[in-house]
Each structure stands twice: as C-alpha cells, then as structure tokens.
Amino acid sequence: MNFAAQIFYSSYLSERLERLYSPRPALKDSEENDPFWQRDELRLGPSQPGGSYKSGPISNGAAGRRPTLIEPERLKDFGEEELLNGDVKMYDTKVVGAPEIMLMEPPKTRRVSEFRILPRPLIQYLRFEDISAAAFRIQSVIQKTPCTYSRLSKQYGMEIYLKKEHLHYTGSVKERGVLYLLTSLTQAQQRKGVIVATDCNFSMAVAHHAVELKIPVFVIMPSCCSSPRLRIYRDYGAMVISYGSTGHDSQNHARHLASENGYLYLEEDESAAYLAGLGTVGMEIYEQVSKLDAVVVPAAGQYGLLAGTAAAIKHLDSRILVIGIEPESFPLLLQSLKTDGPIKDMHSNPNKKLYGDLMERSLGVNTFQLAKKLVDKVITVSEEDSLVAMLRFQEFERSTVDTEGAMGLAAILAGQLPELRGKKVAVVVSSANMEMELVRQCVDHALVLDDRVSKFSVKLGEWPGDMAKLLDVLSREDVRLLDVCHRRQSDKSDLFKAKVECVVETRDKTQSTQLRKTLSERYPSICWLDR
C-alpha cells in the first residue's frame, strides 16, 4: 500500500470513530418518527441533491425493492478485501466466460444391410422361480407327501422310491396346481366364484380348495354321474347341479352360466400357475431322495404333471432322467413327439372306466415344448400291466390306487425300463380315485392276468369220495378254492361221470405251475379254462 492510500485510510478510520463515540444531539420532532435506516448518518453514499444519485437510493436494479446499504463503487472494497494483521490485501477479479459449445459431427448414415439382426431370446414359459414361488405359497396347506423305499425294489433289481401323491385329501396330485391357481386369481374373481363341469380329479381338487378359500364353487354334472361321486362334491361344500345326459351338455351349460353370471369357468389346461404348482412334486422328490438317477412320472391325461416335474428336476440336476408313462390305448404325447407337434385329435378309444375321459384331454403347445425339451423318454404300458401294478400296490404297499397312479410301476414290472436296473428311481403315484366296485373288478382281473387265479374242469366218477379226493388234493397244495360247480348231466359218451368246474387262487406263478402239474398227473382229462 502506497503513502497516499495510507493517509486516506487513516483519516477515514478517525472520522468513523469520532462519529461513533461523540455524544448524539437531541432528536428533533421530525426525526423521532423517521426510521433509523432513513437517517443521513447511516448512508454511505452521497445524500445531497447534487450528488451522483439524484434518482434516489439504489434499489438493486428493481424499483420499489429495499435499497442496499452499500454503494456499487464500494462493493469491490468489501467483497474482495481480506484483513491480515492490520494490512489490506487486494485480489484481482477475473470474469470467466461460459465454455465454448462444441457441436458434434452428425452420425454417418448406414445402410440397413449393415446392421446385424440378433434374435431375441425366447420367453421361458415355466421357470424354476415360478415353481419355487408356488412351493412357498402352498406349503401351509398342501402336505409334503412321503417318498418311501418300496419292498418291490429287490423283486425288480432297483431301488424304488414311491412318491405317494395319492395321500392328498382328494386323493390326487392335482391339488398342488389347483391350489396355486386359485390363490393366483384376483380378489374380484375369488369373490364372484368358479365353476367346473367334468367329473375328474381336477374338479374334485377345485371343489375342495375353493371351499377352503371361501370361494363360491359350482359343479355342473350330467345325470349319468354316479351318486357316490356327487355326494363327494357335496361333502366338500360345493353347489352341485345335475344338467344334461352327457358331459358335453353339462360343459356347455357351465360355460353359459359363467358368461351370464360372471363366474370363472375352470378346466384343466396348461396355465403357468397350474404347471408351477404341479412342479413342486419334483422339488420335494429331489429333497427327499439323495443321489437320484431317474424319475418316472405318469402322463395319462395330466401332461402338466410331467412337464412341471421335469422343469424342476432338470433345473436342480440335469443328470437325472425324467421318463413319462402313457397308456397304450391313448399315446397322445408319444405320437405328438413323432410328428413334432401336439396332436389335437387322437383317434383312439381307451377304457373310460380305467383311464377316465382321456378323449377330452388335449396336449397344449407350451406343455408339448416343455416335454420335448426336458423329458428324456416316453413309453406306453398296456391295460393288463396297469392292473397287475394295482395288485402289487395292494399286496406290497397296502395301498389302493387307480390305474393312472399305477402306471409308473407298471412300466417297471413290464420290463420296459431295463436301463434302470441297479439305479435309484423315484416313481410318482399320482392318484387313487376309483369306486370300490370297480376296484374289486380290477383286482379280480389282475389276479387272472398274474396267473394267480385259475379255472379248470375235470370229470369225476359217481363213486363216493371222488369229490372229496379232489378237494383233498387242493388242500394239500395249499390253494384257495374260490368257486366249485358239480354237474351231473354230462355228455352222452360219459353217462356215468360228472363234470366238476373249480376256480382256485394261488400265491404266485410258481405255485400255480406246481398245481397244474399235480392235477394233470392225477386227472388226465383235466381242462384248463380261461376266465
């Protein structure tokens, strides 16, 4: 700081100090009412009329605003000074302009042929995350069914584990998919209600779980439906209505009621929620059986079970084989795989009493694609093998299952899976819904197919004790006599002989062979009859 600046700064400070500490004169009457900020001693700029600010105080560029107390010429003194040890340090102020805007060059034009079109990944219809979500949702309602070691393992040379899905409340694995499907509905749909129109495991599961979830459920059945089946739906709590003489009549009426009243018409399809619920079977099998080699799944009218189980198993361990089993009289999936597309019309006539109404079932596109990608093998089993498998369940597992539930074991006992010998195999037992009269008929037929029940006729003389000798031979062979018929009126050539027809039951094929040998040696005229 030069000498002239020091003189100016010293006089300025002495003047300000003199004003601050000098006694103030008495205020005039006009000054008492003036605000303190309008007084002349507080102004830093010129206040005379001849000063440089004739238009009044500075208003910071806007008229009517509160004026600032600092003149513009002094702003640089107060804004750019820093007092250090009594000295004033001055800084130069530089005005920096806005950065120069640089325009980018326009992009080069390219031909459409220069772009490489990348195919979009296909949307996965059924993910393992969906199956996991279904397992979490239904775990509080659906019980985890056992997967136990079977005594049939030693007989067929493999470790067989039976996944007993027939132990559900309605006797069917379809409860898993139905429950997750119903819980996935909107609240408006749940309040309105659902309606079904076919007598099958799916409808029974809908009737049971809809009532448990407080969802109104209506069941439309034809008049040909048996009374015990209708009583089951009523016991579940569903509203049962008989309409029409055929299944088509009841289905058309159910669709009409659904459209008129806003009900949701449910039928077994390939919705993602339904398949995800069925896929939880695969998750449980993987948790319950360690070091698993193969899973055998029935696919008679329930291809969703096969597809969902395969999706879960292959995600957890792609090494595990997934094998689907179909009835020989209705190989819908097998024929679809051969033609590389789902077949809509299968010209076949399966036994409706044994396999239900399979002709009403169809194979969806998504289910077919899942089976084609994930299922390793699809085979068919005959009706006779399924009946014998039902017999094996009653004898060795103390369980009564239907033909659909026994198809997995039927493929093993028929010798169609020789590659699984010595392996650890899980067999899904899907259902056990069959009327008792039909069960009795199936067991009787299975005993004949298994060479356990034999019928023969033999000619005996009229001498006393001939009949007793025959019964004594049967008693020594330890066979069970089911029926006997003694006919005295025989052929003209045998006037003095009687014809006796017997029906006997043996323990197994070995005992049956031994019985035939013994009777043939004793009675050369014996004739074995087919039942």
Side-chain angles (χ1 to χ4, degrees):
M1 185 180 295
N2 55 18
F3 180 75
Q6 291 180 358
I7 295 297
F8 172 78
Y9 189 70
S10 299
S11 62
Y12 173 75
L13 291 178
S14 61
E15 182 180 358
R16 296 297 296 173
L17 292 174
E18 183 179 357
R19 287 187 178 185
L20 289 175
Y21 293 101
S22 60
R24 297 184 178 180
L27 297 175
K28 300 179 182 179
D29 296 337
S30 60
E31 293 179 351
E32 292 180 357
N33 299 327
D34 295 338
F36 69 94
W37 62 79
Q38 295 182 1
R39 298 172 186 171
D40 294 338
E41 61 265 23
L42 296 180
R43 294 183 182 273
L44 299 180
S47 59
Q48 300 299 326
S52 59
Y53 300 105
K54 296 182 179 181
S55 60
I58 296 297
S59 61
N60 198 18
R65 293 184 180 179
R66 179 177 176 180
T68 181
L69 301 180
I70 302 175
E71 295 179 344
E73 287 84 358
R74 301 288 299 176
L75 288 177
K76 62 180 181 180
D77 297 337
F78 293 92
E80 300 295 339
E81 292 181 354
E82 182 178 358
L83 184 62
L84 297 175
N85 297 327
D87 296 332
V88 178
K89 185 176 182 180
M90 302 295 296
Y91 294 94
D92 294 331
T93 304
K94 295 182 179 180
V95 179
V96 180
E100 184 179 0
I101 299 176
M102 301 295 293
L103 297 178
M104 298 178 61
E105 296 182 358
K108 298 180 179 180
T109 58
R110 299 173 62 185
R111 298 179 180 178
V112 178
S113 59
E114 297 180 12
F115 293 92
R116 185 178 61 179
I117 301 176
L118 297 176
R120 295 182 179 180
L122 297 176
I123 299 177
Q124 191 173 0
Y125 181 73
L126 182 62
R127 304 174 302 169
F128 182 76
E129 291 78 5
D130 301 331
I131 301 176
S132 300
F136 179 79
R137 179 82 63 86
I138 68 177
Q139 64 179 348
S140 60
V141 181
I142 297 295
Q143 61 176 338
K144 181 178 290 188
T145 57
C147 189
T148 57
Y149 180 80
S150 175
R151 292 190 297 164
L152 293 168
S153 300
K154 296 180 180 180
Q155 184 175 350
Y156 297 107
M158 62 184 71
E159 296 185 48
I160 302 175
Y161 292 83
L162 300 177
K163 180 60 174 173
K164 300 179 179 179
E165 289 296 307
H166 65 289
L167 297 181
H168 287 293
Y169 188 84
T170 63
S172 172
V173 66
K174 298 184 180 182
E175 283 193 29
R176 297 175 177 270
V178 166
L179 178 59
Y180 189 56
L181 176 63
L182 292 176
T183 56
S184 301
L185 300 179
T186 62
Q187 293 184 357
Q189 291 174 336
Q190 293 181 0
R191 287 192 300 266
K192 199 66 178 179
V194 296
I195 186 170
V196 293
T198 54
D199 182 21
C200 59
N201 295 330
F202 177 82
S203 298
M204 295 180 66
V206 171
H208 168 62
H209 285 290
V211 173
E212 294 294 322
L213 295 173
K214 310 300 180 183
I215 300 175
V217 55
F218 304 90
V219 178
I220 312 298
M221 289 296 165
S223 58
C224 60
C225 187
S226 63
S227 298
R229 300 286 290 186
L230 294 179
R231 186 173 62 250
I232 292 176
Y233 289 102
R234 291 190 176 98
D235 292 341
Y236 289 157
M239 176 65 69
V240 181
I241 302 173
S242 295
Y243 183 89
S245 58
T246 63
H248 292 286
D249 296 337
S250 60
Q251 292 175 14
N252 293 333
H253 185 61
R255 293 187 180 95
H256 174 72
L257 293 178
S259 60
E260 291 292 330
N261 301 278
Y263 303 136
L264 179 63
Y265 178 69
L266 291 179
E267 56 184 348
E268 192 171 6
D269 56 6
E270 58 173 5
S271 63
Y274 182 66
L275 297 185
L278 294 176
T280 57
V281 177
M283 293 183 60
E284 291 187 6
I285 292 176
Y286 186 80
E287 295 174 359
Q288 294 170 325
V289 183
S290 61
K291 298 180 180 179
L292 190 64
D293 294 310
V295 178
V296 181
V297 186
Q302 48 190 6
Y303 301 99
L305 174 62
L306 176 61
T309 303
I313 290 294
K314 289 298 183 179
H315 177 85
L316 295 171
D317 190 352
S318 60
R319 180 189 60 84
I320 300 177
L321 299 177
V322 178
I323 302 173
I325 312 298
E326 280 189 302
E328 196 176 64
S329 57
F330 196 76
L332 181 59
L333 178 58
L334 186 61
Q335 294 297 329
S336 299
L337 292 174
K338 291 180 179 179
T339 59
D340 198 21
I343 298 177
K344 297 300 181 182
D345 298 326
M346 187 72 185
H347 301 287
S348 180
N349 188 20
N351 192 330
K352 293 184 178 181
K353 288 186 177 181
L354 296 181
Y355 296 107
D357 200 3
L358 292 182
M359 290 184 294
E360 299 295 332
R361 299 290 186 267
S362 61
L363 181 62
V365 177
N366 294 318
T367 308
F368 171 76
Q369 293 296 334
L370 288 172
K372 177 182 177 181
K373 179 181 178 181
L374 302 176
V375 177
D376 298 286
K377 186 178 182 181
V378 178
I379 61 176
T380 60
V381 294
S382 63
E383 178 182 312
E384 292 77 11
D385 292 332
S386 297
L387 294 178
V388 175
M390 291 177 58
L391 182 63
R392 295 289 186 271
F393 269 104
Q394 290 194 350
E395 290 183 320
F396 292 89
E397 297 297 330
R398 306 297 187 263
S399 300
T400 301
V401 301
D402 54 18
T403 48
E404 293 183 15
M407 280 196 306
L409 183 61
I412 295 177
L413 64 88
Q416 298 194 47
L417 298 174
E419 67 273 16
L420 299 183
R421 295 188 63 87
K423 304 291 184 180
K424 186 177 290 188
V425 184
V427 179
V428 179
V429 186
S430 59
S431 57
N433 283 323
M434 184 175 286
E435 298 182 13
M436 293 306 300
E437 177 62 24
L438 184 58
V439 171
R440 185 188 63 81
Q441 296 177 9
C442 292
V443 171
D444 291 342
H445 194 189
L447 289 172
V448 177
L449 295 173
D450 199 33
D451 293 333
R452 302 270 297 279
V453 174
S454 302
K455 182 179 180 180
F456 63 89
S457 65
V458 63
K459 293 180 181 181
L460 301 178
E462 292 290 341
W463 300 99
D466 286 350
M467 185 67 181
K469 293 178 181 179
L470 174 62
L471 297 179
D472 183 62
V473 171
L474 297 178
S475 177
R476 290 198 305 267
E477 292 295 329
D478 193 20
V479 297
R480 181 184 177 190
L481 182 62
L482 300 179
D483 191 16
V484 60
C485 181
H486 186 266
R487 303 178 186 275
R488 293 198 178 194
Q489 293 80 12
S490 59
D491 298 336
K492 295 181 179 181
S493 60
D494 298 325
L495 296 177
F496 303 100
K497 290 184 179 293
K499 184 178 181 181
V500 179
E501 294 181 356
C502 296
V503 180
V504 295
E505 180 183 349
T506 56
R507 292 188 302 270
D508 48 28
K509 292 182 179 181
T510 303
Q511 188 184 20
S512 179
T513 303
Q514 180 63 31
L515 176 65
R516 288 180 178 240
K517 180 181 179 181
T518 302
L519 292 178
S520 298
E521 292 176 354
R522 189 174 184 89
Y523 302 98
S525 62
I526 191 171
C527 179
W528 296 94
L529 306 175
D530 294 332
R531 296 194 64 194

